[in-house]
Amino acid sequence: MANTIRSLSRRCISALHSANNSLRGRAIADNNRNTNAYDVIVIGAGHAGCEAGLVCARLGMKTAMFCTDIDSVAMMPCNPSIGGTGKGHLVREVDALGGEMGLNIDKTFIQSKMLNTSKGPAVHSLRAQADKEKYHQAMLTTIREQENLDLIEDEVTKLLVDNFDKNAKGSDDSARKIKGVRTSDGSGYTCDAAVICTGTFLAGKIFIGDYVKVSGPAGLRPATKLGENLKELGFPIRRFKTGTPARMHKDTLNYDAMKEQLGDEKIVPFSFMNEDKTFDIDQISCWLSYTNEITHKIILDNIEKSAMYSGNIVGVGPRYCPSIEDKVSRFKDRKRHQLFVEPEGTDTDLMYIQGMSSSLPEDVQHAFYATIPGLEHAEILSPAYAIEYDCADPLALKPSLESKIVEGLFCAGQFNGSSGYEEAAAQGLIAGINAASKLKGKEPLVLRRDQAYIGVLIDDLVTKGTNEPYRIMTSRAEYRLLLRQDNADRRLTEIGYRYGTVTEERYQRYLQKKEHVDSEIERLRSKRTDIASFREFLLRHESAEVSEDIANQTFAEALRRPAIFYDDLVEIDDETRPELTENEKTEVEVMLKYDGYIQKQINEVEKMVSLEDKKLSENLDYNSIGGLRLEARQKLSMIKPMTVGQASRISGVSPADINVLLVYLEKEMRSK
């Protein structure tokens, strides 16, 4: 039986590589190279690598992007979707900074849905189901057409670093600098900066029950040698794990037994460049079903056969995206767990079973899937599997995502211990911007926690570290009302323009939108009407009790009432109202309706920014500062925070330690 399972596993892992009928023999972009010398080399072509490679090239850097397989470019080895709670914010921010992910999903989505609409605007999150193959092809086309960017299908096996001798003792770490890479065919490529974006390919290993295969995601070729080279260089490498569910043939499912999940009638794009665009597509439905107690019994009866529970897997998995074995084992009081059946595209038969990742053997998978309504007779085209991979401790990174170990080497995506396409894209963009900025002699772009979810993501990783695959969540942000997805352009587009990542067209459109919104807010803050009309208007809209002081209330104050919305004001507005787009109306409404709460958070930010403005030298000797506790000295010496604000967020550094640092800095200033 074991041999049968192992043989079947090989067949199904192979099917993962070809199930989408992807086009073979794709051309490599700009392959007629006269030289192997580059400004920037990007290692990996997933979501982090694509953003890093594109932004470096657009900033004028001669850039090479390496991948082990062309099919890995912007591949979606797990969920065929972009966005979701917290993640949608990241995509809008990437777009506001001039990144590609938002534009690419707007070209290739098959269903769009705004999540959390019953809650406040701070947590509204856009999610789009992607056509997996078209997303890959669209990004590949963008890369092919990008000036200054070469896409090279070869495995990077070694980093070439100045002043490093693995056999020498006491080598000077501070003098180490990236100078190039070596590939599997022995070729050498030089560079002045590099970005590691290896995803789950680095020493990747797939598990299905007791079947184990050295492999990248979806059966693609892994990167098997670079990890050892990184260990030799002193990188703190550890093993993480993630997983993916089975794919099933769409014609073998019983849709009558599941609940249909439709997309939104009004489609909201991810990219601010598409705000005025009308999307005329036939959206494809997803489907909702549930496990049951029979499902759970089969899983628990075979739990020891799971690679996670047998001890075969040593990597740490994601807490917020557990396997079905973990869900059933950890939450035994739950009688059912939901799952979503999602199409992988318009030209494929594959359906993705979201929420059901597993490393159980295939025969067990067939058994428990068959107990779920709608999946009773499903044909499994590729099984669920777990994948284990090498990644690095992000505490070894600066806030710019530059390595503390090798100068000029930047790191992004799952290599930094994060999970998710969106988290990867965000880090790839920032790492790419900062690689180019370093070569241009510019200050790195480090976004604060009050400026962007990207700032929260990177600060969490490089300041607090992570012991499991990290995913962004709205609850991680202290200033959620300031970091709404609708105002990502207002927060970040001017920053992107200063760094050269935002085009003139995008910038002018942003300025026009900002002027429209600001002018209308100013008008509404001064606009009033007669008392009788105002009272009648409020009563008509069933607003809160109408008090006697309404005579002095402005339209802006009226908008703060829960039952009053911007379009309602037309009933009492005797002026010619400006013609605002729907997005401009939304921004006006949110900024006025939540004005008090927004101002409160702005006041909190001002206190925080004062600590962020206090810089700490990278060479500061914390052991020489009297009054710091031993744990604080150790943590500060290890992480080397760039600001007092960052120091205050390090686990083990107390408010008393921060006060000691502030006193020390004050004395240093006076002595100069």
Side-chain angles (χ1 to χ4, degrees):
M1 182 64 179
N3 288 334
T4 303
I5 294 172
R6 185 171 284 110
S7 174
L8 189 58
S9 294
R10 289 194 185 99
R11 175 180 61 78
C12 290
I13 287 293
S14 177
L16 284 167
H17 190 57
S18 58
N20 279 320
N21 298 317
S22 58
L23 298 176
R24 308 302 305 166
R26 300 185 182 94
I28 295 177
D30 193 14
N31 201 26
N32 295 316
R33 301 181 304 280
N34 296 319
T35 176
N36 286 353
Y38 290 91
D39 297 317
V40 180
I41 286 175
V42 178
I43 305 169
H47 303 282
C50 288
E51 296 293 347
L54 285 167
V55 77
C56 285
R58 290 166 179 171
L59 289 172
M61 301 292 107
K62 184 181 179 187
T63 306
M65 182 161 59
F66 286 85
C67 61
T68 60
D69 192 305
I70 293 295
D71 278 348
S72 69
V73 174
M75 180 179 67
M76 294 179 167
C78 201
N79 201 318
S81 69
I82 295 293
T85 303
K87 292 171 175 281
H89 292 69
L90 288 176
V91 182
R92 297 299 294 272
E93 291 177 355
V94 166
D95 181 74
L97 286 167
E100 196 65 28
M101 179 174 268
L103 289 165
N104 207 59
I105 186 60
D106 282 352
K107 297 175 190 173
T108 58
F109 74 91
I110 56 178
Q111 190 194 90
S112 177
K113 199 173 188 67
M114 187 69 74
L115 307 181
N116 302 327
T117 53
S118 62
K119 301 177 182 178
V123 294
H124 290 180
S125 295
L126 186 60
R127 181 184 187 273
Q129 199 71 26
D131 186 306
K132 190 172 175 176
E133 177 64 14
K134 289 178 182 176
Y135 187 93
H136 156 74
Q137 289 287 349
M139 188 68 82
L140 187 60
T141 297
T142 299
I143 289 167
R144 280 177 176 154
E145 295 174 352
Q146 179 60 52
E147 187 180 358
N148 296 325
L149 182 59
D150 290 351
L151 177 61
I152 304 171
E153 190 178 38
D154 200 355
E155 178 187 348
V156 171
T157 58
K158 184 178 182 179
L159 300 181
L160 303 178
V161 177
D162 270 336
N163 298 323
F164 172 67
D165 181 354
K166 68 178 180 179
N167 297 314
K169 293 183 179 180
S171 59
D172 184 6
D173 288 357
S174 63
R176 293 180 184 176
K177 189 178 187 303
I178 190 72
K179 64 177 183 180
V181 302
R182 184 84 62 199
T183 61
S184 59
D185 66 0
S187 299
Y189 298 80
T190 63
C191 65
D192 295 313
V195 187
I196 297 180
C197 308
T198 48
T200 60
F201 283 83
L202 196 62
K205 190 181 288 186
I206 280 177
F207 298 84
I208 305 172
D210 66 350
Y211 171 74
V212 182
K213 178 181 176 64
V214 175
S215 174
L220 297 184
R221 182 159 63 99
T224 57
K225 296 182 179 179
L226 182 60
E228 290 304 314
N229 174 233
L230 291 168
K231 290 176 186 176
E232 290 174 354
L233 286 167
F235 279 79
I237 300 296
R238 64 262 189 92
R239 297 288 278 177
F240 274 2
K241 165 262 173 189
T242 188
T244 193
R247 273 70 164 178
M248 298 180 176
H249 197 295
K250 66 180 183 181
D251 294 339
T252 64
L253 305 181
N254 178 12
Y255 298 97
D256 292 335
M258 299 184 287
K259 184 177 180 181
E260 188 173 15
Q261 306 290 296
L262 300 171
D264 291 341
E265 184 175 337
K266 178 186 174 183
I267 294 174
V268 177
F270 269 107
S271 178
F272 290 98
M273 295 297 285
N274 291 327
E275 282 189 331
D276 300 330
K277 183 177 178 179
T278 299
F279 291 87
D280 184 20
I281 71 163
D282 294 325
Q283 297 190 64
I284 300 178
S285 295
C286 298
W287 304 84
L288 171 66
S289 189
Y290 294 90
T291 63
N292 52 61
E293 291 180 279
I294 300 174
T295 317
H296 300 175
K297 185 176 188 307
I298 293 172
I299 291 170
L300 291 173
D301 286 348
N302 292 275
I303 197 78
E304 74 283 352
K305 298 178 184 177
S306 166
M308 276 295 294
Y309 286 81
S310 68
N312 284 347
I313 293 177
V314 297
V316 180
R319 182 188 317 181
Y320 300 103
C321 188
S323 66
I324 188 61
E325 298 99 285
D326 274 350
K327 290 179 185 178
V328 172
S329 179
R330 286 160 50 186
F331 306 104
K332 292 181 180 177
D333 57 325
R334 293 281 298 273
K335 294 186 177 180
R336 67 177 190 172
H337 295 278
Q338 70 178 13
L339 57 109
F340 291 93
V341 179
E342 302 173 338
E344 291 210 339
T346 57
D347 301 320
T348 178
D349 295 328
L350 294 177
M351 299 293 278
Y352 175 92
I353 315 302
Q354 189 208 133
M356 293 289 288
S357 69
S358 175
S359 62
L360 282 161
E362 288 176 61
D363 58 343
V364 179
Q365 291 188 36
H366 279 276
F368 74 67
Y369 278 126
T371 67
I372 297 171
L375 310 184
E376 297 92 342
H377 305 291
E379 178 186 354
I380 298 178
L381 296 177
S382 60
Y385 65 88
I387 183 167
E388 193 178 66
Y389 56 95
D390 279 355
C391 59
D393 186 343
L395 292 178
L397 298 175
K398 300 176 183 179
S400 63
L401 295 181
E402 184 179 13
S403 166
K404 297 175 183 176
I405 298 169
V406 177
E407 184 184 350
L409 180 64
F410 294 79
C411 307
Q414 286 183 274
F415 180 75
N416 291 348
S418 64
S419 68
Y421 312 145
E422 303 82 2
E423 290 88 341
Q427 293 172 70
L429 180 66
I430 298 300
I433 290 172
N434 287 334
S437 295
K438 186 176 183 70
L439 301 191
K440 291 182 175 185
K442 295 179 64 174
E443 285 294 309
L445 173 58
V446 177
L447 296 170
R448 300 192 310 266
R449 298 180 73 90
D450 64 292
Q451 290 179 307
Y453 271 91
I454 296 176
V456 174
L457 162 68
I458 294 175
D459 184 63
D460 277 352
L461 289 172
V462 305
T463 303
K464 302 175 183 178
T466 183
N467 293 319
E468 60 184 280
Y470 175 103
R471 69 153 290 172
I472 197 67
M473 295 180 287
T474 54
S475 60
R476 296 192 190 271
E478 303 92 328
Y479 310 109
R480 288 189 291 279
L481 202 49
L482 301 182
L483 306 183
R484 307 182 311 276
Q485 62 172 14
D486 66 89
N487 72 346
D489 56 343
R490 179 176 283 259
R491 292 184 277 116
L492 299 173
T493 298
E494 290 193 36
I495 295 174
Y497 188 68
R498 290 201 303 272
Y499 275 84
T501 62
V502 167
T503 64
E504 189 65 35
E505 178 190 3
R506 180 187 285 268
Y507 186 57
Q508 291 303 322
R509 289 179 63 166
Y510 154 74
L511 289 178
Q512 184 181 59
K513 176 184 175 182
K514 184 175 183 294
E515 196 277 328
H516 289 171
V517 170
D518 290 348
S519 295
E520 181 62 352
I521 286 175
E522 191 62 30
R523 186 182 78 87
L524 294 178
R525 280 180 170 156
S526 60
K527 178 67 179 173
R528 293 177 173 84
T529 189
D530 65 87
I531 297 177
S533 298
F534 196 32
R535 180 184 294 275
E536 183 182 341
F537 169 76
L538 295 176
L539 291 172
R540 185 164 60 249
H541 287 275
E542 299 179 350
S543 185
E545 182 179 347
V546 180
S547 60
E548 295 299 321
D549 64 350
I550 63 170
N552 294 318
Q553 285 195 3
T554 64
F555 282 21
E557 290 170 312
L559 259 183
R560 293 176 190 164
R561 296 170 178 259
I564 306 297
F565 299 94
Y566 178 79
D567 282 338
D568 298 332
L569 295 174
V570 69
E571 300 172 22
I572 53 171
D573 197 343
D574 56 3
E575 295 181 355
T576 302
R577 287 159 60 89
E579 293 187 9
L580 301 183
T581 67
E582 290 302 313
N583 291 287
E584 290 168 348
K585 290 178 184 178
T586 297
E587 193 163 338
V588 168
E589 188 174 283
V590 170
M591 289 180 71
L592 289 176
K593 193 173 283 294
Y594 297 92
D595 182 52
Y597 299 103
I598 290 172
Q599 191 55 52
K600 184 178 179 180
Q601 289 205 343
I602 289 173
N603 294 337
E604 293 173 0
V605 166
E606 288 173 354
K607 298 176 186 176
M608 183 271 292
V609 168
S610 66
L611 293 181
E612 297 297 335
D613 288 341
K614 297 184 186 300
K615 305 296 183 184
L616 294 171
S617 170
E618 191 176 344
N619 300 316
L620 183 58
D621 181 8
Y622 293 99
N623 291 315
S624 68
I625 302 177
L628 285 177
R629 294 175 308 110
L630 177 60
E631 183 184 10
R633 290 178 184 179
Q634 292 172 341
K635 293 288 184 70
L636 290 166
S637 297
M638 178 181 69
I639 296 174
K640 298 180 180 178
M642 306 299 289
T643 68
V644 175
Q646 185 187 358
S648 71
R649 295 186 292 276
I650 297 173
S651 174
V653 177
S654 70
D657 296 317
I658 295 302
N659 286 333
V660 170
L661 276 180
L662 291 173
V663 170
Y664 172 82
L665 292 175
E666 184 67 26
K667 288 180 179 178
E668 287 292 299
M669 277 186 56
R670 288 176 181 173
S671 66
K672 291 181 179 179

